[in-house]
Amino acid sequence: MTAFLPSSWPSKSERHRRFGSTDAVPGRKATRKEDMTDLQNRRDDYLFEIQQVGVTAVKHPIALRSPLPPYHQTSIAALELTTTLDRSSKGINMSRLTEQLNAYRDIDFVSRPETLQIFVRDLARSMDQSGADVTLEFPWFYERAAPASGRIGLAHSDLFVEAVYREDETPAFRLNVGLTVSVTTLCPCSKEISEYSAHNQRGTVRIRAEVEPAQLDLNWCEVLLNAAESNASASLHPVLKRTDEKAVTERAYENPRFVEDLARLTAADLAECPFIRQFTVECRNEESIHQHDAVARIRCAKP
Ligand SMILES: Nc1nc2c(ncn2[C@@H]2O[C@H](COP(=O)(O)OP(=O)(O)OP(=O)(O)O)[C@@H](O)[C@H]2O)c(=O)[nH]1
């Protein structure tokens, strides 16, 4: 091990010099913003319009009111903020995207979708463009009681919210919501053909739905969660005692599901949701008897 003697070391600035830092050279280019070239706003024919340009993989804290306890949560969202860009503009003023996000820092986009409508429209206007898109993905936590003992722990799923604004389309504003949750699926075929037991696995249900903003149930995340979990062989639980383990094992055996069954049953619940215009449901099973996954997708639009 190397002994260290800070008292005999050079100062921090001397250390930086020794490790390669140099003084700034006197520059010839402008240092004041008003004297700098605004390359982004240079007009010409740039061959293509761009449907989406902006920033992605932005991490930001968000506040949300949850329909399930804990009722007030802060989560970390991964965001994408983009606008359209017309053919005659070289680039967007990218700093305005995160500048606007900071201005909306404490707003609950999840239970106040009308705020997201204003946010996405303002994004387009701030860039002097006709369209903008915003997506947020973040973990949502909720208390989950074990089925027999009632012991509580925190479970989670991932929520998705997307707002799209196109000034020249009707409607100008579209809102998509989504949820991804893990469940248990038990194979009906395996149950049918085996003398005893049946293989089961962890499945993932991924829902994306275009919703009617004016009719949106503010507890939409609970509605989507229920559509996925209530149709699976069993739900996942953070805390399970022996009595609970028996309950979830037997529940799964009583409710065997192919990946197709789970997709169709979830789709049926979504089709009954009054606020959903169209949706995609994807079920994926990490097969316990294969190295590959089984997958089923349903896309459905209401007439
Ligand atoms: N358009 C564009 N901007 C980029 C790109 N990569 C980085 N930038 C960022 O753009 C920033 C400048 O942002 P702008 O919003 O144009 O800055 P500005 O013109 O001083 O800001 P305003 O006062 O809002 O007009 C730079 O600091 C870069 O970080 C890119 O590929 N395209």
Side-chain angles (χ1 to χ4, degrees):
M1 194 183 292
T2 311
F4 61 95
L5 285 169
S7 55
S8 65
W9 287 352
S11 68
K12 188 160 184 172
S13 58
E14 174 49 32
R15 293 203 295 272
H16 282 185
R17 246 189 300 280
R18 195 178 294 181
F19 280 78
S21 298
T22 56
D23 292 332
V25 294
R28 291 199 307 274
K29 293 203 174 177
T31 54
R32 293 179 341 143
K33 187 183 173 197
E34 49 274 33
D35 300 330
M36 288 177 174
T37 309
D38 194 353
L39 208 57
Q40 286 86 318
N41 282 311
R42 194 171 281 173
R43 313 292 286 185
D44 205 334
D45 180 359
Y46 293 106
L47 311 180
F48 291 96
E49 63 176 354
I50 297 180
Q51 282 75 36
Q52 285 188 266
V53 52
V55 293
T56 192
V58 178
K59 287 266 198 300
H60 209 262
I62 55 159
L64 69 129
R65 189 195 62 81
S66 170
L68 299 173
Y71 296 113
H72 296 282
Q73 299 183 24
T74 301
S75 193
I76 306 291
L79 290 107
E80 182 171 283
L81 311 171
T82 61
T83 71
T84 54
L85 185 66
D86 58 75
R87 183 170 162 164
S88 61
S89 301
K90 180 165 176 61
I92 61 167
N93 290 100
M94 227 167 237
S95 67
R96 296 180 196 175
L97 300 171
T98 43
E99 211 168 31
Q100 186 177 315
L101 182 61
N102 189 50
Y104 279 67
R105 198 192 291 182
D106 299 319
I107 304 294
D108 178 354
F109 290 130
V110 182
S111 42
R112 295 189 55 201
E114 72 282 3
T115 322
L116 201 55
Q117 188 167 349
I118 297 165
F119 182 91
V120 70
R121 188 203 57 202
D122 286 355
L123 212 55
R125 289 185 179 168
S126 77
M127 223 65 81
D128 206 17
Q129 296 297 323
S130 62
D133 296 66
V134 177
T135 63
L136 298 91
E137 282 194 88
F138 50 92
W140 165 48
F141 289 85
Y142 36 86
E143 283 184 6
R144 168 62 46 91
S149 71
R151 299 292 176 96
I152 286 174
L154 276 186
H156 72 274
S157 54
D158 290 322
L159 296 185
F160 167 84
V161 185
E162 178 181 45
V164 179
Y165 173 73
R166 293 290 179 275
E167 188 183 66
D168 44 9
E169 290 177 14
T170 310
F173 177 77
R174 280 183 286 119
L175 183 65
N176 299 307
V177 297
L179 169 132
T180 303
V181 66
S182 298
V183 295
T184 298
T185 55
L186 182 137
C187 178
C189 174
S190 171
K191 176 179 173 178
E192 183 74 25
I193 62 179
S194 306
E195 298 292 345
Y196 31 74
S197 186
H199 77 84
N200 65 81
Q201 54 257 325
R202 191 183 299 170
T204 304
V205 182
R206 185 171 183 272
I207 297 168
R208 291 284 182 271
E210 183 181 335
V211 297
E212 182 62 61
Q215 288 179 21
L216 183 64
D217 182 337
L218 295 186
N219 296 342
W220 61 267
C221 38
E222 190 181 1
V223 174
L224 299 193
L225 180 66
N226 193 44
E229 287 191 317
S230 65
N231 290 301
S233 299
S235 307
L236 305 190
H237 294 79
V239 183
L240 290 175
K241 295 297 187 184
R242 274 170 286 160
T243 49
D244 304 309
E245 187 169 355
K246 175 178 163 62
V248 294
T249 304
E250 291 173 356
R251 185 189 139 82
Y253 198 75
E254 291 154 6
N255 295 279
R257 299 281 188 264
F258 278 138
V259 73
E260 297 95 324
D261 301 330
L262 180 53
R264 286 179 168 137
L265 289 169
T266 304
D269 281 15
L270 297 175
E272 285 177 352
C273 270
F275 60 83
I276 291 181
R277 283 183 188 152
Q278 53 183 326
F279 62 86
T280 305
V281 54
E282 177 189 289
C283 298
R284 180 182 287 257
N285 281 343
E286 287 177 39
E287 293 288 288
S288 59
I289 58 167
H290 299 292
Q291 285 189 312
H292 54 250
D293 296 350
V295 68
R297 262 175 226 117
I298 295 176
R299 292 178 203 90
C300 186
K302 286 187 184 165

